[in-house]
Amino acid sequence: MSQFKINVNGSEHSVDVAPDMPLLWVLRDVLDLTGSKFGCGIGACGACTVLLDGSEQQSCQIPVSAVGHRKVTTIEGLSKDGNHPLQRAWIEHDVPQCGYCQAGQIMAGAALLKKNPHPTDADIDDVFASHICRCGTYQRIREAIKAAAGVAK
Amino acid sequence: MRHLPTHSRSNQGGGGGGKVSNRLDISRRSFIQIVGGVGASLALASFSSLACADLGGAKAAKLKKGVVFAPNAFVKVDPDGLVTVSIIAPDAGQGSRTSLAMLVAEELDVDWHNIRVTQAPTDSAVYGNQGIGGSHTIVSLYQELREIGAATRAMLIAAAAKTWEVDPTTLKTAKGHVISADGKKSVAYGDLTAMAATMPLPTVKAELKKSEAFNLIGKGATRVDNPDVVTGRAKYGLDVKVPGMVYAVVARTPAFGASIKSFDDSATKKVPGVLEVVQIPSGVAVVGTNTWAALSGRQALKIDWEMGSNADLNSAKITEAMKAAVEPHPDMPAGSKSVEASLQFPYLAHATMEPLNAVADVQEGRCTIWTGSQQPTGHQKDVAGLLKIPVEQVTLNVMLLGGGFGRRLYDEYIIDAVNVSKAIKKPVKLMWTREDDMKHDNYRPACFCSFRGAVDGSGNPVGWSHQAIQAGMGGRPSINYDIANASNKGHTVRIGVPTGPWRSVENTLFNVANECFIDELAHASGKDPFEFRRALLKDDRLRKVLEVAAEKSDWSKPLPAGHGRGIACFHGYGSYAAHVIELSIEGNKIRLHKATCVVDCGIAVNPKGVEAQMQGACTDGLSTALRAEITIDKGGVVQDSWTDYRWMTLDAMPKVEVTILQGGDSPGGMGEVGYPSVAPAVANAVFAATGKRVRKFPIKVEELV
């Protein structure tokens, strides 16, 4: 075990864990931030997606020892009261079915909109090709991202 | 550590800040018997005596003090006017927590924003069977929950009538208020709870609204869990943490029927955070202080396996066994044009997005479980049987399900958790990894369908013989088309691969195969595949969805070269569906352009939910038509994860357009009806584009004939 200091959702946390423990399990098991989901553990589904200094990062693919000073944002920290444009669009477009993958989808969308406020369909395809929704909510994900981006349908 | 609520039977405390009217008496029983229509089994507990799971974790607002009116096990009205509906059906994404609450809210006349839901405790004595499967949730509860809403409303009206000293039949309700005949007086439900709690229970059924008067049913509501889902507050089984809990994973057999000869856990025990290693019936469980410790410990295990009787089993042998079971088809009428074809289907995994998991806390004489289950009452009994304790001593808290599709009808993961907790005498969260899930499912059976059919000189079908050979499960196909002397046979070959129901079950095979072969007969007759089907369909509602699918997809309009449209339909679960898929083929790549989906489910209680089910089932249909398969080698499953069990992703999806028709005045099932006509529409579109037929799923262009 080793001590690591990580910044999650604006707060500094000191954790005493194995250096190879993926960030996902630090968030879920140690910090009780269970919004980021385990779906495969090999970076193939996107359910664990968080932001690392604002960019998309699959939290199952980065050991806690590699996080360093970068700022981690999870779904719990995306907005203060659930009013990020994507969160509002997700509710309005009734995107979730089982809902399990949606935190990862929203975080991927947040990273996309941050660097590309008006994504095209092709831009959306590029990002979401690595995100699985087993319930098949894809069409509503696309619609919600466009709505949040203020892009006309 | 976060403390999660449990369903404590001794908890007689009130909901919110109020005092609870808790009248368990004979008249309550009759209230439920008359009103609920589901028998005395629902009668014995009032809603508020059962503390229910809060799946959202959001802090409850401070409530007004006063009496909570809780006339039955399904509904309570708080003094602040909030109405909480107890949901007996687990929500695996089908939206039961929303649509069932809508049924109560509709008849109770409460604004949707004043509705709260809570997951009912698992208790068959109170609620009967709480399972989900067979698309029956709305179908079986549509009448009962509306009656419960109407009866609760009648008691609130009676309370207002007594307060105002007027005839209750003169009073109306709207938006959570009782209103006087002249409209001058109005009282909020929340202000009537104390009086309502003293009202005699209704002795006759309250009248239900006519469908024209519906404010919610057929209009739609967004999901009640959305705010929790989009903020990460929603609680699935894997998100549960209870005091003193440890974490476990199990090293499982590499082949079906394999067993452990011996294992060496010396390296495992050196992994930091590993607490214990215990052998349980399904394998070797590694217990740790966190998930990563358990996973790392499992990685370090050395197990010597006895590979068992399936060690040499592989997909080629299974296909051979299925083909060998095909019997000779009957002769077709003399002078007719005979057509023969076959279709091969792979095993499919359910692959729920949330891998299987359960938290179990086994104590002396009792056990508490937190999990996602499609069959909580059945699973509760299984746990009681395993531990040899009365079922009342097993508390099973149903969390949100990160997908079901039939997988969570089984409870191996719950049994694993119970076995480990019992062995180590601690509460444990037991998780299956994605690989465990992929390799140890109860799979949709592999299947081989063999056909012979014939058309006469005028292009009319005059013969049909279908033999479906499943590697597991069972059942016999049937057809929706009017063909004389049709023969439909089903056989099962016993293979050592476990199988089970998968969204739409045998329809994922039989209807898909039928709809591909009817297309071949249409081609042999020289007729348009839509017109050919239309002329042969016996059912008016099925014909209608087919016609609307053709219309919405511009079926008769020509397409560019290399493009094709395919059509197919399905009837089941009390509902009807038809699909048209438009695609094009470039080289060996199939590009999807548009999916036209039409459904008639009678009354669509929540049209947004119906549309979602059609979109989701369409995605499943496309995924299994084009990508996903489970293959077997050396007695075990080859696929590990999403990398080789490939599902559709957003970038590959066509535009999916859903049309909802109402061809009946009661709701049909929606969970499964949208699947069985997707894959055949894809296969038929591939033929339209290439002139070549699909003989095997998933479709590979290089395998077309």
Side-chain angles (χ1 to χ4, degrees):
Chain A
M1 302 286 180
S2 311
Q3 288 279 344
F4 297 95
K5 280 204 170 91
I6 54 171
N7 184 304
V8 181
N9 299 333
S11 303
E12 293 288 337
H13 296 271
S14 187
V15 295
D16 185 18
V17 297
D20 63 346
M21 187 191 281
L23 175 61
L24 172 67
W25 298 115
V26 177
L27 295 172
R28 290 183 55 83
D29 291 355
V30 182
L31 301 180
D32 290 343
L33 293 168
T34 55
S36 307
K37 302 303 188 198
F38 169 71
C40 67
I42 60 167
C45 75
C48 66
T49 302
V50 299
L51 304 183
L52 208 56
D53 278 349
S55 292
E56 179 176 0
Q57 170 67 48
Q58 290 172 334
S59 63
C60 77
Q61 291 299 292
I62 180 168
V64 63
S65 56
V67 174
H69 297 295
R70 288 177 284 178
K71 290 192 162 103
V72 179
T73 308
T74 71
I75 188 73
E76 291 93 341
L78 182 62
S79 66
K80 246 184 185 162
D81 41 14
N83 67 355
H84 185 282
L86 283 169
Q87 290 170 314
R88 283 184 284 148
W90 242 248
I91 292 172
E92 193 185 323
H93 288 259
D94 209 22
V95 175
Q97 288 189 32
C98 88
Y100 191 78
C101 72
Q102 299 297 345
Q105 310 273 6
I106 291 171
M107 296 312 282
L112 170 64
L113 293 188
K114 209 174 169 104
K115 63 176 190 211
N116 181 357
H118 298 286
T120 62
D121 276 324
D123 297 334
I124 294 171
D125 285 350
D126 277 351
V127 168
F128 287 89
S130 56
H131 286 259
I132 291 168
C133 171
R134 176 65 183 80
C135 297
T137 63
Y138 298 125
Q139 184 140 328
R140 290 184 181 179
I141 288 175
R142 188 188 294 282
E143 286 164 4
I145 290 168
K146 287 184 173 182
V151 174
K153 275 182 197 170
Chain B
M1 283 198 183
R2 185 177 292 112
H3 290 249
L4 282 163
T6 58
H7 305 319
S8 164
R9 277 166 190 281
S10 61
N11 182 354
Q12 298 290 326
K19 186 182 148 200
V20 178
S21 69
N22 191 15
R23 302 176 305 143
L24 285 170
D25 54 26
I26 194 72
S27 53
R28 174 176 310 281
R29 196 165 307 172
S30 56
F31 168 84
I32 299 288
Q33 277 176 335
I34 292 162
V35 174
V38 284
S41 63
L42 298 184
L44 301 175
S46 78
F47 179 104
S48 47
S49 69
L50 304 159
C52 296
D54 171 8
L55 305 185
K59 279 181 191 155
K62 202 172 176 197
L63 298 173
K64 221 156 117 180
K65 294 235 182 285
V67 172
V68 174
F69 172 49
N72 56 67
F74 289 85
V75 186
K76 68 171 181 169
V77 185
D78 284 324
D80 53 7
L82 290 181
V83 173
T84 305
V85 179
S86 191
I87 305 296
I88 68 169
D91 202 326
Q94 83 279 32
S96 55
R97 284 163 60 84
T98 305
S99 50
L100 295 182
M102 286 173 69
L103 299 176
V104 174
E106 179 67 72
E107 294 293 342
L108 190 49
D109 259 345
V110 184
D111 275 346
W112 183 241
H113 68 259
N114 283 328
I115 290 284
R116 301 290 179 270
V117 302
T118 186
Q119 200 68 28
T122 301
D123 192 338
S124 60
V126 176
Y127 295 104
N129 172 27
Q130 292 171 245
I132 50 166
S135 302
H136 76 80
T137 299
I138 288 285
V139 175
S140 62
L141 292 167
Y142 181 67
Q143 185 77 8
E144 290 154 20
L145 287 182
R146 285 187 304 138
E147 286 175 354
I148 283 167
T152 305
R153 171 179 173 270
M155 290 180 76
L156 290 160
I157 287 176
K162 190 171 180 193
T163 309
W164 294 337
E165 296 178 331
V166 296
D167 176 359
T169 61
T170 65
L171 301 180
K172 296 175 291 188
T173 57
K175 296 177 180 299
H177 288 72
V178 181
I179 301 157
S180 63
D182 58 9
K184 285 182 181 161
K185 277 197 283 190
S186 167
V187 57
Y189 287 173
D191 294 329
L192 288 168
T193 55
M195 181 64 87
T198 69
M199 287 293 108
L201 296 158
T203 53
V204 292
K205 277 191 187 184
E207 202 180 323
L208 297 181
K209 284 183 185 175
K210 300 271 183 287
S211 55
E212 307 84 74
F214 286 160
N215 295 313
L216 270 172
I217 294 174
K219 308 281 193 296
T222 57
R223 275 165 204 255
V224 294
D225 291 311
N226 281 352
D228 289 333
V229 167
V230 305
T231 51
R233 290 196 304 257
K235 291 281 174 259
Y236 301 81
L238 202 56
D239 302 330
V240 172
K241 194 177 209 179
V242 299
M245 186 184 88
V246 292
Y247 299 75
V249 292
V250 178
R252 292 166 201 283
T253 57
F256 299 113
S259 55
I260 295 165
K261 272 197 237 171
S262 64
F263 67 91
D264 172 3
D265 60 6
S266 50
T268 299
K269 288 187 165 165
K270 287 179 193 148
V271 172
V274 167
L275 298 169
E276 291 189 59
V277 178
V278 289
Q279 190 171 348
I280 59 171
S282 63
V284 180
V286 178
V287 183
T289 53
N290 58 66
T291 309
W292 186 245
L295 287 168
S296 305
R298 184 174 80 164
Q299 190 76 30
L301 266 182
K302 291 185 189 74
I303 303 179
D304 190 12
W305 298 100
E306 170 60 55
M307 292 299 280
S309 57
N310 294 315
D312 297 327
L313 186 67
N314 59 40
S315 285
K317 287 183 182 174
I318 295 167
T319 304
E320 215 171 284
M322 292 191 296
K323 284 182 177 170
V326 177
E327 295 164 1
H329 284 286
D331 290 335
M332 294 291 119
S336 64
K337 182 176 166 189
S338 187
V339 182
E340 296 204 356
S342 68
L343 262 172
Q344 200 180 314
F345 297 86
Y347 291 102
L348 293 176
H350 297 83
T352 58
M353 203 71 219
E354 177 196 18
L356 303 173
N357 65 84
V359 172
D361 183 9
V362 178
Q363 295 184 12
E364 191 56 44
R366 62 184 309 278
C367 177
T368 309
I369 312 275
W370 293 261
T371 194
S373 159
Q374 282 185 250
Q375 195 55 264
T377 39
H379 295 168
Q380 185 183 40
K381 279 187 199 127
D382 289 349
V383 172
L386 176 71
L387 295 173
K388 299 186 174 65
I389 58 176
V391 73
E392 296 75 23
Q393 296 306 316
V394 177
T395 303
L396 194 150
N397 301 285
V398 176
M399 309 305 292
L400 289 176
L401 283 67
F405 314 110
R407 182 62 183 92
R408 286 180 161 96
L409 289 167
Y410 295 89
D411 60 5
E412 311 99 302
Y413 55 104
I414 300 173
I415 299 302
D416 277 351
V418 170
N419 278 325
V420 174
S421 176
K422 187 184 169 191
I424 66 169
K425 298 185 168 56
K426 283 180 192 143
V428 64
K429 181 193 287 184
L430 188 133
M431 185 184 85
W432 289 36
T433 60
R434 174 60 58 204
E435 292 80 3
D436 295 340
D437 176 63
M438 205 60 84
K439 290 181 185 296
H440 297 273
D441 200 346
N442 298 296
Y443 302 88
R444 195 288 303 270
C447 184
F448 184 81
C449 293
S450 174
F451 287 96
R452 179 183 287 170
V455 292
D456 66 14
S458 321
N460 298 312
V462 291
W464 172 282
S465 171
H466 178 188
Q467 289 182 55
I469 320 294
Q470 288 187 77
M473 296 290 282
R476 191 170 70 88
S478 61
I479 53 168
N480 296 315
Y481 299 100
D482 193 10
I483 302 175
N485 303 316
S487 163
N488 290 288
K489 289 183 176 170
H491 310 290
T492 303
V493 291
R494 298 287 158 209
I495 303 283
V497 178
T499 54
W502 190 105
R503 191 180 203 170
S504 286
V505 200
E506 73 278 9
N507 304 304
T508 67
L509 304 164
F510 303 162
N511 193 77
V512 174
N514 281 347
E515 287 295 312
C516 289
F517 191 62
I518 200 78
D519 221 71
E520 298 208 31
L521 289 186
H523 182 68
S525 76
K527 290 183 181 169
D528 173 85
F530 158 59
E531 296 294 351
F532 187 76
R533 283 178 173 80
R534 183 193 198 190
L536 292 172
L537 281 175
K538 294 178 276 191
D539 189 302
D540 292 342
R541 290 174 72 179
L542 190 53
R543 192 182 315 108
K544 182 72 183 173
V545 290
L546 189 81
E547 288 168 352
V548 174
E551 180 201 322
K552 297 275 176 188
S553 64
D554 294 326
W555 179 258
S556 51
K557 285 196 185 154
L559 287 170
H563 284 237
R565 281 192 204 99
I567 193 165
C569 59
F570 173 67
H571 163 43
Y573 311 99
S575 295
Y576 303 79
H579 286 88
V580 174
I581 302 291
E582 186 188 324
L583 51 76
S584 63
I585 297 177
E586 293 145 22
N588 278 351
K589 198 171 155 39
I590 297 173
R591 232 180 111 209
L592 298 163
H593 297 288
K594 191 180 171 192
T596 304
C597 319
V598 182
V599 65
D600 168 8
C601 60
I603 287 184
V605 170
N606 185 6
K608 284 185 175 183
V610 168
E611 187 197 58
Q613 286 301 298
M614 290 303 288
Q615 290 173 338
C618 183
T619 310
D620 284 3
L622 297 172
S623 299
T624 52
L626 298 171
R627 294 188 170 191
E629 65 178 323
I630 289 292
T631 54
I632 307 295
D633 193 31
K634 298 187 179 71
V637 165
V638 172
Q639 286 72 20
D640 282 308
S641 188
W642 299 113
T643 43
D644 48 8
Y645 188 68
R646 294 179 55 245
W647 213 250
M648 291 300 284
T649 43
L650 184 146
D651 55 302
M653 285 296 290
K655 181 175 172 49
V656 179
E657 187 187 279
V658 177
T659 301
I660 302 169
L661 307 178
Q662 186 186 336
D665 56 8
S666 62
M670 265 316 302
E672 296 164 280
V673 69
Y675 178 88
S677 43
V678 177
V682 174
N684 297 335
V686 166
F687 174 76
T690 63
K692 290 180 181 177
R693 287 291 175 188
V694 172
R695 293 284 174 254
K696 197 174 170 219
F697 287 102
I699 302 167
K700 296 180 182 90
V701 173
E702 61 275 20
E703 290 179 351
L704 299 174
V705 296

